[in-house]
Amino acid sequence: KDGGWDAVVLQEQSTRPVKDPERFIQYGKAFHAALRKSAPDCITVLYNTWAKQGSTPEQQETLDKAYGRLATELRKMGGDVRVAPVGIAWGFASSESLTLFDDDGSHPAHCGTYLAALVIASTILSLSPMGSETRIATSLGRLKMSITEAELLQQK
């Protein structure tokens, strides 16, 4: 409640933007209003996720449009609102022989986690991901991917 953040990343449950878009907008607005009140200079970042493995391009497009609509609504409320287009980056990276999805077909594998981090950091910092660190440690240990995979993902 005391603010002090430079940026806050908002991520919705993966299917809500499609299955219940009005609720998605409602709660996005509520979180943004709370952020604006406690940290007026804070950047609100919308984590535009990827469609599940095996989804059609139209399903990803529906997610992208939902996040775009939410961003438009939040910008009307004031403040710096940015969309981290992780789902779009996954679309570009999926043409490569990289393992983005975990075995459940929904959550990210190591390469997917790295790609999401690159996109979110680039969105917040307004910097290119090219040349980013290729060896990343998480609370579960180091991400398991090659330097070649990391460098390829930086280009997406």
Side-chain angles (χ1 to χ4, degrees), residues 47 50 86 89-90 98-100 108-122 129-138 143-156:
Y47 184 161
W50 53 89
V86 178
W90 274 53
L98 299 167
T99 303
L100 297 176
H110 293 268
C111 285
T113 298
Y114 182 72
L115 180 57
L118 287 173
V119 173
I120 292 169
S122 305
M130 299 297 288
S132 294
E133 180 62 50
T134 56
R135 295 186 50 180
I136 306 294
T138 70
L143 290 179
K144 294 176 178 78
M145 63 184 177
S146 71
I147 291 174
T148 302
E149 288 172 319
E151 289 172 343
L152 184 62
L153 289 166
Q154 291 174 18
Q155 297 171 27
K156 300 302 171 191

Side-chain angles (χ1 to χ4, degrees), residues 52-137:
K52 292 184 178 188
Q53 191 171 27
S55 296
T56 65
E58 293 77 22
Q59 289 167 309
Q60 182 62 52
E61 186 178 325
T62 301
L63 272 173
D64 299 341
K65 285 181 180 178
Y67 278 95
R69 179 176 169 224
L70 177 58
T72 298
E73 292 297 318
L74 299 187
R75 288 179 184 124
K76 291 176 187 175
M77 298 168 65
D80 189 351
V81 178
R82 303 177 189 180
V83 177
V86 178
I88 293 170
W90 274 53
F92 290 125
S94 66
S95 63
E96 306 294 337
S97 59
L98 299 167
T99 303
L100 297 176
F101 289 96
D102 197 12
D103 291 339
D104 67 4
S106 182
H107 294 94
H110 293 268
C111 285
T113 298
Y114 182 72
L115 180 57
L118 287 173
V119 173
I120 292 169
S122 305
T123 301
I124 293 169
L125 301 172
S126 298
L127 296 173
S128 168
M130 299 297 288
S132 294
E133 180 62 50
T134 56
R135 295 186 50 180
I136 306 294

Side-chain angles (χ1 to χ4, degrees), residues 21-37:
E22 295 312 313
R23 193 168 184 191
F24 171 62
I25 298 290
Q26 174 190 352
Y27 285 104
K29 285 179 168 181
F31 277 108
H32 184 63
L35 287 171
R36 297 280 303 136
K37 184 176 180 181

